[in-house]
Amino acid sequence: MTVRVALVGCGAMGEIVARDVYPGLGSATLAAVVDPDPGRAAQAAAHTGARAYPALAEALAAERIDAVDIRVPHHLHAGVALEAIGHGLHVLVEKPIATTVADARAIVDAADAAGVVLAVAENYPHLEAVREARRVLAEGGIGRPLAIQSTRAYRIDGVWVRDGWRESDGPAGGILLDQGTHQVSLIRQLGGPVASVSAAVSAGRALDTVTLTLRLESGVVAQSVLTWHSPGPWDQAEATIIASGGRLDVVVDYEKHAGGCVIWTPEGPGRRGAENYYDSHTLIAADWIGAITGGAQPRVPGREGLEDLAVIEAAAASLDAEGAFTPVRRTP
Ligand SMILES: NC(=O)c1ccc[n+]([C@@H]2O[C@H](COP(=O)([O-])OP(=O)(O)OC[C@H]3O[C@@H](n4cnc5c(N)ncnc54)[C@H](O)[C@@H]3O)[C@@H](O)[C@H]2O)c1
């Protein structure tokens, strides 16, 4: 079976998947590309041979579509996802799954009711470095975890800021939504569910520089630093786990498109695992298509996106409460 996909949103991320991901996916084909910006839709169409449309409704009226891949700004995720699910179509939606837990809940419930596959395009659970770290922790390779630290410090420019929504104070804007969901996903992968969170911002930088302190249900504490004001992510661990018997760094090398998991014990450092970071976009799409054709759960189902967003919503509430630890509303 070849899954016929409509790609909705042909901006920076949409172009990457149209150009680099779908042409190599044997079991899926892009049957439509959708963007109200005709130039962007045409460019994505040129990469794939798909027909270009200005709106999803027009694509659905003209093409036979099985599944919808959503790469639009954050505040539009929920509307497009519910439209697609309403037509009985499988959905892959970018992170964050939505901008409110209520919208995320509506998407998850609608997908369950419709019996369609709902996956979230969150990278970290797909990265071999993260999966290897989970294996090492499960084996007790560095002892009992004591603390987790994660950093997302880089500069956004070029295509990532050209429409202005990401750095704005509008409904889609801010680093907490854009990168916070990634970091929460990473910390949850390494340390399990989050019980409560305290958030703080550097003076005058609420949109682009945020720190999170997370109390995990396991009793471990985690910290995350997010900023768009650092020259680049070089020589920077994505996450570090400090444990009773050692330390583990999850490393992604964005320049060499590689990564790995470095373990430090009293015997010294050793590297395990290596991978191509950018392939995570292919892994995400291939996993979703595989879930559609094979009937398995996707690696990051909608419910996981909902869990990540619940932590971000609690962090936003903590900011409003001047950093008070705010419980995360766990969702059944
Ligand atoms: N997982 C990752 O690694 C990763 C990386 C970058 C971006 N993203 C996510 O991808 C999404 C898009 O980000 P981006 O940087 O590509 O944004 P962008 O602004 O470059 O592109 C968004 C596109 O959506 C189009 N659009 C707006 N409304 C639309 C509608 N109703 N139907 C169809 N198209 C519509 C816009 O015209 C624009 O071309 C965001 O959710 C972002 O968080 C994920």
Side-chain angles (χ1 to χ4, degrees), residues 151-157 160 166 175 178-179 182 208 226-233 236 254:
T151 306
R152 187 73 177 131
Y154 70 117
R155 183 159 287 157
I156 46 169
D157 51 21
W160 304 109
R166 197 177 251 103
I175 198 166
D178 192 59
Q179 296 301 313
H182 281 312
D208 61 46
L226 319 170
T227 184
W228 279 322
H229 285 275
S230 173
Q236 172 180 285
Y254 293 91

Side-chain angles (χ1 to χ4, degrees), residues 140-194:
I142 55 169
R144 188 167 40 84
L146 303 171
I148 303 174
Q149 199 260 325
S150 83
T151 306
R152 187 73 177 131
Y154 70 117
R155 183 159 287 157
I156 46 169
D157 51 21
V159 292
W160 304 109
V161 296
R162 69 185 161 188
D163 286 359
W165 59 266
R166 197 177 251 103
E167 292 181 296
S168 80
D169 61 0
I175 198 166
L176 191 54
L177 264 183
D178 192 59
Q179 296 301 313
T181 40
H182 281 312
Q183 296 307 300
V184 167
S185 169
L186 176 58
I187 287 169
R188 291 200 312 110
Q189 287 289 308
L190 300 174
V194 181

Side-chain angles (χ1 to χ4, degrees), residues 11-13 35-36 40 72 74 77 94-95 123 165-166 281:
M13 195 62 223
D35 201 299
R40 291 184 195 173
V72 297
H74 303 151
H77 289 183
E94 264 297 352
K95 45 48 64 172
N123 315 57
W165 59 266
R166 197 177 251 103
H281 300 311

